[in-house]
């Protein structure tokens, strides 16, 4: 081979190599960017509630009661699914407990007119009696009072998940309960003889085991998690069709079965986020409330004082402003509560919404 051709070939090989390298660089940057976007972002709890009194899997779901005049007097109502309802103040201290039975999920809605008073109603799925318990919140101290005319006896094989819906169209209040067999019962609540009574106004089947549920009162939507399959969106009105849409499917980016608790962060005027507990990878997936597009995921990691969450069932969130939490807070059940090396009974962890907003860059959306 003459010298000239040899030189030419070397140059050619060098250029080709460089091109491959450059291509690889571009690919790496794209992959890195994608990985960053898809990373589950850690946030930290700023408060944890007292432990529940039962050992093993006991804490499950929670809801937040906002005090009508002094938000600092608001309360967290949780379930101990082996015993009953528990009320905590905002520092996490247990202030009341009600051994009403094996209540699994709990939810709350304001604005029920009872004996000419406008009250907040708390309902829970009670597996001891296969009923729905109905309480009102005493605005003086956040205590609960049983206001059921008689227990709402479910026809589900085993009552399990539960959420409430207050229709913006009709102002009627509903409880939507589901069973381990994936069947759903929608109850309408109304006043009878100064108490709360109910009737079943719709039933439908989701498929397999369901639990997590949240209604979007503003848009009239109902989100239900089918644990090993998908997060579904239905119309929440009792006379609507049961045509549904899958918002997320098990196996989507950052989402692993079981799909558990579902909740809604309300930014007002119909905007906000839907949040899902992706129990299989101990994280929480956030979706746009209007488009239902997936935005990102976060997890509650171990902090210096408070441990992170593991195997979360129920979640809840509020956008109400508190001195410590100007954009509200998120609350999640922790399936493995620890203190240093000690394993304690389960509890609930609270996260400042601002840290979730920052971690997921929600303001840039
Ligand atoms: Ca559990
Ligand atoms: Ca809930
Ligand atoms: Ca479950
Ligand atoms: Ca933990
Ligand atoms: Ca702890």
């Amino acid at each position: 081979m003459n010298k000239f051709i040899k030189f030419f070939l070397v140059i050619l090989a060098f250029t080709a190599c460089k091109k491959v390298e450059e291509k690889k660089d571009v690919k790496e940057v794209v992959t890195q960017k994608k990985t960053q976007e898809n990373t589950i972002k850690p946030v930290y709890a700023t408060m944890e509630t007292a432990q529940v009194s039962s050992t093993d899997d006991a804490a499950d779901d929670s809801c937040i009661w906002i005090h009508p005049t002094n938000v600092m007097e608001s309360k967290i109502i949780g379930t101990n699914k082996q015993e009953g309802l528990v009320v905590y103040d905002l520092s996490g201290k247990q202030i009341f407990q009600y051994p009403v039975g094996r209540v699994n999920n709990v939810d709350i809605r304001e604005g029920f007119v009872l004996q000419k008073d406008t009250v907040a109603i708390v309902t829970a799925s009670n597996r001891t009696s296969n009923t729905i318990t109905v309480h009102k919140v005493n605005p003086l101290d956040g205590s609960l009072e049983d206001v059921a005319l008689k227990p709402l006896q479910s026809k589900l094989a085993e009552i399990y998940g539960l959420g409430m819906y207050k229709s913006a169209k009709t102002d009627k209040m509903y409880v939507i309960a589901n069973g381990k067999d994936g069947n759903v019962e929608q109850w309408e609540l109304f006043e009878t003889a100064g108490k709360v009574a109910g009737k079943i106004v719709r039933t439908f089947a989701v498929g397999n085991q369901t639990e997590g549920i949240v209604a979007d009162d503003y848009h009239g939507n109902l989100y239900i998690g089918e644990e090993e399959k998908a997060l579904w969106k239905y119309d929440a009105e009792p006379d609507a069709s049961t045509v549904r849409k899958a918002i997320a499917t098990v196996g989507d980016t950052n989402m692993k079965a079981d799909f558990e608790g579902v909740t809604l962060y309300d930014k007002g005027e119909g905007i906000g986020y839907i949040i899902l507990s992706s129990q299989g990878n101990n994280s929480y997936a956030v979706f746009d409330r209007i488009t239902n597009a997936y935005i990102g995921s976060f997890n509650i990691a171990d902090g210096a004082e408070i441990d992170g969450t593991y195997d979360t069932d129920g979640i809840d969130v509020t956008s109400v402003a508190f001195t410590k939490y100007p954009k509200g807070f998120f609350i999640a059940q922790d399936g493995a509560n620890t203190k240093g090396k000690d394993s304690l009974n389960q509890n609930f962890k609270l996260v400042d919404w601002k840290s979730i907003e920052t971690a997921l860059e929600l303001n840039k959306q």
Side-chain angles (χ1 to χ4, degrees):
M1 209 182 288
N2 86 26
K3 255 188 188 169
F4 180 75
I5 293 179
K6 225 179 189 174
F7 176 73
F8 180 74
L9 281 178
V10 166
I11 292 286
L12 202 70
F14 179 74
T15 318
C17 268
K18 222 177 162 196
K19 276 228 166 102
V20 168
E21 249 167 42
E22 268 167 18
K23 238 187 176 168
K24 213 175 120 202
D25 282 353
V26 171
K27 216 176 150 193
E28 256 168 26
V29 168
V30 171
T31 319
Q32 257 172 23
K33 209 174 161 218
K34 258 206 163 142
T35 317
Q36 259 170 20
E37 277 169 5
N38 291 337
T39 302
I40 296 172
K41 303 287 193 307
V43 298
Y44 301 91
T46 53
M47 183 279 264
E48 62 182 333
T49 66
Q51 315 167 47
V52 292
S53 54
S54 311
T55 54
D56 301 324
D57 200 19
D60 196 276
D61 194 23
S62 67
C63 65
I64 303 155
W65 171 68
I66 303 297
H67 190 282
T69 53
N70 177 7
V71 291
M72 295 315 292
E73 287 301 315
S74 299
K75 306 284 183 271
I76 295 157
I77 301 159
T79 59
N80 170 347
K81 62 187 171 190
Q82 298 188 31
E83 215 172 280
L85 292 165
V86 189
V87 181
Y88 306 94
D89 67 15
L90 290 183
S91 72
K93 191 177 145 205
Q94 181 182 312
I95 51 169
F96 302 110
Q97 64 173 327
Y98 303 93
V100 295
R102 295 187 297 118
V103 279
N104 194 45
N105 281 186
V106 64
D107 205 4
I108 187 166
R109 281 296 183 277
E110 309 272 344
F112 188 93
V113 180
L114 189 64
Q115 298 184 342
K116 292 181 183 145
D117 235 10
T118 304
V119 298
I121 295 289
V122 173
T123 61
S125 49
N126 193 328
R127 293 162 78 186
T128 300
S129 45
N130 212 43
T131 57
I132 296 165
T133 66
V134 187
H135 291 82
K136 75 168 186 187
V137 183
N138 180 348
L140 286 177
D141 57 4
S143 60
L144 302 179
E145 181 188 329
D146 189 332
V147 286
L149 181 68
K150 57 179 186 193
L152 304 183
Q153 192 68 53
S154 171
K155 291 188 174 77
L156 295 163
E158 187 182 356
I159 197 165
Y160 195 50
L162 174 143
M164 294 184 75
Y165 170 56
K166 189 162 190 280
S167 171
K169 269 188 200 158
T170 63
D171 224 31
K172 285 181 179 171
M173 202 179 277
Y174 301 93
V175 187
I176 298 111
N178 60 54
K180 275 200 165 175
D181 57 1
N183 286 315
V184 177
E185 253 176 14
Q186 182 160 358
W187 288 76
E188 183 187 325
L189 300 183
F190 47 89
E191 181 178 6
T192 300
K195 297 274 187 174
V196 179
K199 63 173 180 197
I200 297 171
V201 288
R202 175 164 79 154
T203 58
F204 60 93
V206 174
N208 287 308
Q209 185 164 318
T210 52
E211 184 176 359
I213 187 167
V214 73
D216 182 337
D217 294 357
Y218 187 96
H219 294 291
N221 293 326
L222 185 63
Y223 295 86
I224 303 180
E226 188 178 359
E227 294 189 346
E228 292 182 0
K229 196 165 179 187
L231 175 63
W232 299 103
K233 177 161 102 173
Y234 290 88
D235 192 317
E237 285 298 316
D239 56 356
S241 84
T242 51
V243 172
R244 63 184 185 177
K245 194 182 151 198
I247 301 312
T249 309
V250 164
D252 283 357
T253 303
N254 295 332
M255 280 170 255
K256 285 211 173 88
D258 292 355
F259 280 3
E260 288 283 339
V262 192
T263 192
L264 186 156
Y265 184 87
D266 183 10
K267 284 183 90 172
E269 292 171 349
I271 61 170
Y273 310 101
I274 303 295
I275 309 162
L276 166 74
S277 168
S278 171
Q279 192 180 56
N281 61 348
N282 306 310
S283 66
Y284 311 95
V286 179
F287 305 86
D288 184 89
R289 182 180 179 185
I290 294 172
T291 65
N292 293 142
Y294 172 64
I295 296 170
S297 295
F298 63 94
N299 69 326
I300 307 177
D302 283 338
E305 293 290 322
I306 304 172
D307 57 307
T309 53
Y310 177 80
D311 211 33
T312 295
D313 292 312
I315 55 175
D316 211 329
V317 71
T318 178
S319 59
V320 167
F322 300 84
T323 321
K324 264 176 106 173
Y325 315 110
K327 298 213 164 158
F329 61 82
F330 173 79
I331 184 157
Q333 178 256 3
D334 181 13
N337 175 31
T338 55
K339 179 86 189 167
K341 282 180 182 147
D342 296 333
S343 248
L344 309 176
N345 290 350
Q346 295 180 344
N347 67 355
F348 301 92
K349 304 297 201 262
L350 184 148
V351 177
D352 184 353
W353 182 261
K354 256 181 87 177
S355 63
I356 295 167
E357 190 182 74
T358 306
L360 295 182
E361 301 184 344
L362 295 175
N363 279 339
K364 292 186 190 161
Q365 293 292 322

